[in-house]
Every structure is written in structure tokens, then in C-alpha cells.
Amino acid sequence: MAGYVSSTYNTPASNGEITAGWKDHFNGVHAANTAIEAILNFEGEITASHKDRLLGEAYFLRALHYMHLGMMYGETVPLIEKPVKESADYFPANAEPGKVYELIINDFAKAADLLPLRSELYSNPADRGRATKGAAQAYLAKAYMYRPILELGKEAEFEKAAAELKKVIDSREYELMDNFRANSLGGLKSEFENNKESLFELQMVNGPSWLGDDQSCSWRWQEIGVPDGTGDSWWNLAPNQKTYNEFEPGDPRKFMTLWCPDGAHFTQLDGSVVDWNYMLANLPSDKHLFGTRKYCPDEQIGDIDDDINDRLLRYADVLLLYAECLSETGNDAKAITDPTGPKYYIQMVRDRANNIVPTEQPHLWYQSSPGTLPDVDRLLAQNVTINDIPMNSIKNIIQHERYVELCGEYQRYFDLLRWGMADSKWLGLLEAKGWTRKAMYYPFPQEELDYNKNLKGNSMN
């Protein structure tokens, strides 16, 4: 979002996108607060399991909205825990440091206790996509690990996170899809949405605008997908050379994630098939960048909208987070076959990346041949350097693996922040455009500050 809102990373508080994001998340908080109060006070007929599920969903969504608010605007956003009932409720002050993090942890923990397992909930097809026990446990773990962002100056709580992630893994409710690309397909291929790797995703619908269904669609393919050397796409956000270089030789994920040399082809509305070289040669600008294929169709559609679900959390992320927890708690030396060590879980993700993908475009080599990524031990022994970082430690390999596995899924920036790596080495290109440490958050909307004199902005205001 930052690249779209401001290419100079000096976003004014009056920016409409900043205000819209704030309003949308606080609308979600309000809805969750209203639901929590109504469910707790409901005296009609309802089964205990149904009441628990509804209450768990409300706690889950309140925590999720506050987690995103904390990640985007910082820990002093207003803390609102009840529905608005009187005029004073419209003018909350800033939250005290640590209180938003406390609510996020408590709400995800409550949700994890109340929500059913995925297998139970999804037994009714109408409930596919709802929050589950596994989603709440995984998000609770992620919140523990995101603590340096959500509560400034505090360290991540790796042991607590590991306990929750192990519950998700031991539940056997989730597994990796054989096809890496299946995690970014949707629309007519909707059997891939809410798949066995998905813990939680945004449910997108692209229907007739006169029915209002366009309110839950995505503009992703139009905004950041196909380079604007084709059709009417906009290429408002594009992977840079460093991102392209991060992929190891023989990693099929590069071609399933990026529009790049020797990669996938794109079919335009007129039926012509073009490659990345064509896209680059026909740019109406001087950009020398790559495109984002992940989450985007391989053919141009006559609509700026699409209905591919955004996977907010998937099992590969869980495995890499658990590997990180095991590494941070002193288990790096354990064998690659030992499930109490981090190598085991990193290897699961790398093994899937090497799979043949028979449904891919025929000219792509991994459609009939496996990838050639080495296992974790061989990678350590080779001591190769990727983007000036030697792959000589488990920590470096985890950071690399998260980069390539989750590229385009809005994880990298927040990973750099929580790891304390938001510096010139990794964000140098952004610094050249005006990014500074204080720009890690968006400013509070000026409209909100004008109306609410009890609220003070953050360092960006």
C-alpha cells in the first residue's frame, strides 16, 4: 500500500487512502464490538457450540483488525472495546503503550478456545472461509512474533509462539499443496481457494456491480500484476532487481511469482501471446522492473476487478514461523530429519518448491522436470551468497526462504521491521525515495485528528 499511496514515503495525513484504511479497520472493530456484546447478552435459544463459534469469530476479527491497525498506524491507535453508545465514545484518546498488543493477544487466545477445528467447521460447505481454531492459534503465534512492531521496544515472544504453532502442526488439519501456484489461483479455478494449505483468506467476489458484489472484489491484477506494457494494467507496484536475484537457480517459485525473463507468457484481449521482453519493450515509462504474476490471471480479462481470494495466512508461513521459533530457542544443530529442529520445517517448504507442476504453461521447464533447490544441509555447506547475505546460518536461510516463499504476500516489509533489519541494506531503494525509520507507520488521518481533539498523531503527523 505504501508504494501506491506515496512514492516518496512522505505520505500526508490528508491522503484519502490513509483515511480509508483507518475507517475500514475501525468499522471492523465496531462490528466486532457490537457482535461481542450482543452474543454475550443473548438470551434466546442457541446451542452452546453455535454461540461459542459466533463469539470466537467476533474476538478473532477484532484482534485481526487491531493487529493490522497496529502494523500500519502504530500502538497508540485508539483502543475501543465496546460499542459506541454516547457522544463521548466518539472521541477516544490514544491507547497507552502495550494495551493494543495486550488486546490482540487476549482476543486471539479467546478465539482459539472458542472456535471449532477446520475439519468440523468445513464439513458444512457454507462455512468454508470462516475463522477456525487453527487460524486463531496461528495468528496468536504471529502476534507474539510481531510484538516488536505492535509494542515498540519489546522483544518477540518466541517460546509462546512456538507452543501455538506446534498446536496447529500437531492438529494435522493443514498441509502444503503439491502445487505452489495453487495458493494464488481463484475465480473459475475456485477449487484452489480455501484449500488444505489455507488458514485464513479474504473471500473475494466479482459479481454484477448493480448487485453490489463488486464491493468485495480485488483490483490486484490491474494494480500490480501485468506490466503496463500490455493492455490497460497499471503496474503501480513492481518487484525490483533485488527481489529477482533472491530466487536461487532452479527455483520454480520465481516463475510462478514474477513476470520475468524465461518466465510465463500472458494472453492479451486480442488473443496475442506475449512474454516479459514484450512487456518491457512496450512500457510507456522508463521503468526497468519485473511484474507480479502471483495472484494474477495469465490472460487479460475485460474487467479491472477479479475475484481471486487473498490468502492472509497459509501453512507454509506457519512452518517457517515455527522454524524461526525453534532456531531462536537454540535448536539449529539438530538434524534435518528431526522435527524438534528448524531444518525439518524449512525443508518441507523447499521440498514442495521443487515439485513438478504439470498444470503450468508447457514451455516452463518445471512443467515436466523438478526444481533443483538443494536441501538445507547442502545449502549451508555450499555457503552461497544471495544479495550479499551468506547462506551460512539457519537464521539467514529462514529470512531468505520467507522472502521467496511469501514474495508478493505483504510479509517482507513487516518481517524486516520485526527483525530490526529496516536499514539501508534492505530498504536503501526506499530511503532514496524518502523513507526513514519514522515512516514505518502511516500517519493518523488528519480528518480524525480534526474531529477528535483527544487524539494525538504519531511521528508521521
Side-chain angles (χ1 to χ4, degrees):
M1 181 176 174
Y4 174 71
V5 172
S6 172
S7 61
T8 63
Y9 297 90
N10 188 25
T11 307
S14 59
N15 185 282
E17 298 294 330
I18 298 297
T19 304
W22 176 283
K23 287 181 176 180
D24 285 345
H25 283 295
F26 274 111
N27 281 340
V29 170
H30 173 71
N33 283 336
T34 301
I36 290 168
E37 182 178 86
I39 296 166
L40 287 174
N41 295 327
F42 183 72
E43 296 179 352
E45 293 186 9
I46 187 172
T47 64
S49 60
H50 190 193
K51 184 174 183 179
D52 284 350
R53 195 204 80 192
L54 293 175
L55 191 57
E57 289 177 341
Y59 282 125
F60 176 87
L61 291 172
R62 185 169 71 175
L64 185 63
H65 283 296
Y66 261 116
M67 188 170 180
H68 289 161
L69 283 165
M71 290 162 62
M72 292 194 298
Y73 300 96
E75 65 177 321
T76 64
V77 296
L79 184 61
I80 305 171
E81 300 180 77
K82 62 180 183 179
V84 173
K85 293 184 177 179
E86 53 189 53
S87 59
D89 295 336
Y90 286 99
F91 306 103
N94 300 79
E96 295 179 13
K99 292 299 183 181
V100 167
Y101 177 71
E102 183 179 317
L103 176 132
I104 292 168
I105 295 299
N106 289 339
D107 276 3
F108 278 138
K110 290 176 185 176
D113 287 339
L114 293 166
L115 288 169
L117 291 168
R118 171 193 168 105
S119 55
E120 177 186 344
L121 186 62
Y122 281 22
S123 62
N124 180 356
D127 289 329
R128 288 175 62 88
R130 288 183 177 274
T132 63
K133 183 180 293 294
Q137 291 167 334
Y139 262 112
L140 174 56
K142 199 159 192 173
Y144 283 133
M145 298 177 76
Y146 272 48
R147 190 183 185 193
I149 305 173
L150 301 171
E151 188 178 5
L152 286 178
K154 302 295 184 180
E155 296 182 354
E157 300 186 86
F158 290 109
E159 291 186 357
K160 292 180 180 179
E164 297 302 322
L165 293 166
K166 190 173 188 300
K167 292 175 187 176
V168 177
I169 294 168
D170 289 349
S171 74
R172 301 186 180 277
E173 292 279 316
Y174 307 93
E175 56 184 287
L176 297 176
M177 295 288 287
D178 292 335
N179 176 359
F180 170 77
R181 182 159 159 73
N183 294 303
S184 65
L185 295 175
L188 296 178
K189 302 179 180 68
S190 59
E191 68 269 19
F192 293 119
E193 295 177 334
N194 302 301
N195 62 42
K196 62 186 179 180
E197 186 168 338
S198 174
L199 278 87
F200 194 67
E201 56 192 69
L202 292 180
Q203 309 298 308
M204 299 295 188
V205 178
N206 181 26
S209 57
W210 56 272
L211 287 177
D213 290 342
D214 269 4
Q215 295 302 309
S216 58
C217 65
S218 172
W219 280 17
R220 182 180 174 115
W221 91 270
Q222 181 82 12
E223 288 276 7
I224 66 172
V226 182
D228 53 4
T230 64
D232 296 318
S233 51
W234 302 330
W235 211 9
N236 280 327
L237 196 65
N240 57 21
Q241 187 68 46
K242 179 169 283 192
T243 300
Y244 177 81
N245 293 343
E246 189 72 21
F247 289 90
E248 297 165 64
D251 188 346
R253 290 174 296 186
K254 174 166 69 175
F255 307 103
M256 289 183 272
T257 302
L258 306 177
W259 298 103
C260 61
D262 302 317
H265 295 165
F266 180 74
T267 302
Q268 302 185 103
L269 280 178
D270 63 4
S272 58
V273 179
V274 301
D275 60 10
W276 178 80
N277 293 320
Y278 174 93
M279 299 175 190
L280 198 66
N282 287 274
L283 286 177
S285 67
D286 61 356
K287 300 173 187 173
H288 187 78
L289 299 169
F290 305 94
T292 304
R293 186 185 179 210
K294 183 181 279 188
Y295 282 111
C296 297
D298 285 349
E299 60 282 333
Q300 189 171 354
I301 55 180
D303 190 347
I304 65 172
D305 307 329
D306 73 74
D307 55 2
I308 299 176
N309 287 0
D310 265 331
R311 281 68 162 181
L312 296 188
L313 184 61
R314 54 189 180 89
Y315 193 52
D317 194 358
V318 168
L319 296 175
L320 293 175
L321 289 173
Y322 190 50
E324 184 178 342
C325 290
L326 294 177
S327 176
E328 292 289 341
T329 51
N331 297 284
D332 284 357
K334 293 183 176 177
I336 200 170
T337 55
D338 187 344
T340 65
K343 295 178 187 177
Y344 182 88
Y345 300 96
I346 302 169
Q347 192 57 46
M348 288 176 67
V349 177
R350 289 175 70 83
D351 281 345
R352 191 271 297 276
N354 276 334
N355 284 351
I356 294 173
V357 185
T359 56
E360 264 288 33
Q361 297 180 12
H363 73 281
L364 295 169
W365 57 269
Y366 57 89
Q367 195 249 12
S368 56
S369 300
T372 58
L373 290 174
D375 67 28
V376 177
D377 284 332
R378 285 172 56 211
L379 183 59
L380 282 167
Q382 290 171 357
N383 193 20
V384 298
T385 297
I386 301 175
N387 277 325
D388 299 326
I389 302 295
M391 296 295 107
N392 59 2
S393 72
I394 294 298
K395 184 173 185 175
N396 287 355
I397 289 175
I398 289 171
Q399 291 171 353
H400 157 72
E401 198 62 33
R402 288 187 63 79
Y403 196 163
V404 293
E405 173 70 23
L406 302 170
C407 181
E409 297 182 44
Y410 311 111
Q411 303 286 336
R412 183 64 177 175
Y413 178 69
F414 298 109
D415 277 347
L416 293 175
L417 290 179
R418 68 185 181 87
W419 290 331
M421 292 170 57
D423 53 30
S424 298
K425 183 173 186 61
W426 288 105
L427 297 181
L429 292 174
L430 304 190
E431 286 184 335
K433 293 179 175 292
W435 189 91
T436 62
R437 183 71 184 181
K438 76 172 188 175
M440 66 183 287
Y441 301 124
Y442 293 135
F444 286 15
Q446 189 59 50
E447 178 181 322
E448 191 74 16
L449 298 177
D450 289 341
Y451 282 118
N452 183 2
K453 299 306 180 183
N454 295 324
L455 190 65
K456 299 184 184 303
N458 61 24
S459 61
M460 278 292 284
N461 287 101

